[in-house]
Amino acid sequence: NECSEFAGWAFPFPGVFLLEEFINPDEESEMVQLMDQDDWKLSQSGRRKQDYGPKVNFKKKKLKAGGFIGLPSFSQEIVQRMKAHSALEDFFPVEQCNLDYLPERGSAIDPHFDDWWLWGQRLVSLNLLSKTVLSMSWDSEDSLQLFATHSQGTCENLDSWNIDHSCPPRLIPYKEVTVDILLPRRSLIVLYGDARYKWKHAIYRKHIEHRRICVTFRELSAEFTLGGKQEKLGKELLEIALTFQGKPV
């Protein structure tokens, strides 16, 4: 907050990779048109959803293909395009979830972690139809170290900031901090590392101004990949996913 006593203070926030204009307006329009040809199911907190993925019982840690026949055809080019970026060159999604937000429905999603028994180290989301803000929070009593800066650097690398060494660092509890990440329309965001496993993410009602669709791709965890306890099942599910012949389940 520019009006707060902490304005001009900074801290490194690794684990976020953002690509603007990942798709063009024509591609966005075609994707949304194809989504709207299928049924949307009512979900929580004013959202609607379409799922392309295996049938999962997270509580009992049980998993099967069920009616899953693959990711949708319109995502094949998107997934291929991801691999042009080093952060995603080995990313193989096994699940896609489309979430439809509308201000008239009070759509939002509370701070949460995505499961990590089944889903892997990267969460990849494509933001369609309108801009929004992804809010990150950490419920910790530990203290975060803030540094006074002369100019802004990158979140990944504290050395790139022009730190004012005449000011000693300040401490503030993590639980008092929210990191707001602006998601432009048609942008792609990747959460990994601390941003995936330590900071919860949320979309608040105040940040849904128009219809918004979030397309989230998830990869398998180590348990379901090469050398894992359930490698065989993971391989079978991935082969189904990458046929790109799916319908919402």
Side-chain angles (χ1 to χ4, degrees):
N1 188 331
E2 292 179 358
C3 299
S4 82
E5 61 177 303
F6 295 103
W9 293 73
F11 65 96
F13 192 76
V16 178
F17 177 63
L18 182 71
L19 288 166
E20 297 190 37
E21 292 295 331
F22 188 74
I23 61 174
N24 63 45
D26 289 341
E27 291 170 323
E28 176 190 46
S29 178
E30 182 180 5
M31 283 184 70
V32 173
Q33 186 177 20
L34 290 169
M35 289 180 203
D36 284 341
Q37 289 177 7
D38 289 317
D39 292 336
W40 290 90
K41 294 181 180 179
L42 288 178
S43 185
Q44 299 172 327
S45 303
R47 304 186 307 274
R48 300 189 303 168
K49 68 176 181 178
Q50 294 174 338
D51 283 318
Y52 303 81
K55 186 175 179 62
V56 188
N57 185 323
F58 289 106
K59 198 169 185 179
K60 295 182 178 179
K61 292 190 174 181
K62 291 192 174 181
L63 173 69
K64 62 181 181 180
F68 180 43
I69 57 172
L71 303 185
S73 58
F74 58 79
S75 294
Q76 188 166 11
E77 170 60 27
I78 302 299
V79 171
Q80 188 60 38
R81 194 175 300 176
M82 292 178 191
K83 298 184 184 301
H85 303 276
S86 58
L88 294 171
E89 61 186 3
D90 60 347
F91 181 76
F92 297 99
V94 75
E95 193 246 18
Q96 175 178 328
C97 180
N98 304 333
L99 289 178
D100 179 71
Y101 293 73
L102 203 64
E104 291 82 356
R105 294 197 303 265
S107 301
I109 191 164
D110 292 335
H112 68 284
F113 293 114
D114 280 34
D115 171 83
W116 48 64
W117 161 66
L118 177 58
W119 308 133
Q121 61 180 333
R122 289 163 293 191
L123 303 176
V124 182
S125 293
L126 185 61
N127 186 57
L128 305 179
L129 294 182
S130 63
K131 66 179 174 65
T132 193
V133 172
L134 185 67
S135 297
M136 313 287 291
S137 58
W138 188 346
D139 302 325
S140 173
E141 298 289 340
D142 293 340
S143 292
L144 174 67
Q145 194 172 41
L146 300 179
F147 300 88
T149 62
H150 295 296
S151 61
Q152 188 177 16
T154 67
C155 293
E156 293 285 347
N157 184 7
L158 193 63
D159 293 335
S160 67
W161 277 316
N162 186 3
I163 297 175
D164 183 356
H165 293 285
S166 66
C167 295
R170 298 175 68 174
L171 298 178
I172 185 172
Y174 276 100
K175 65 181 183 180
E176 295 183 15
V177 174
T178 299
V179 176
D180 283 344
I181 303 170
L182 177 64
L183 302 183
R185 183 175 179 175
R186 295 185 293 275
S187 64
L188 186 87
I189 187 169
V190 184
L191 300 182
Y192 60 95
D194 284 0
R196 162 77 167 105
Y197 295 111
K198 293 184 178 180
W199 293 80
K200 293 180 178 179
H201 56 277
I203 300 283
Y204 294 115
R205 290 183 181 183
K206 64 183 179 180
H207 294 137
I208 299 297
E209 300 173 357
H210 307 283
R211 187 186 183 194
R212 172 200 181 233
I213 293 177
C214 173
V215 183
T216 296
F217 300 91
R218 298 182 176 95
E219 63 184 340
L220 290 167
S221 67
E223 182 173 333
F224 297 89
T225 53
L226 188 63
K229 285 195 303 182
Q230 302 199 59
E231 174 187 347
K232 182 179 178 182
L233 177 57
K235 183 180 179 182
E236 291 171 358
L237 293 173
L238 194 56
E239 286 175 352
I240 293 172
L242 300 182
T243 62
F244 294 99
Q245 296 176 356
K247 287 284 186 180
V249 294

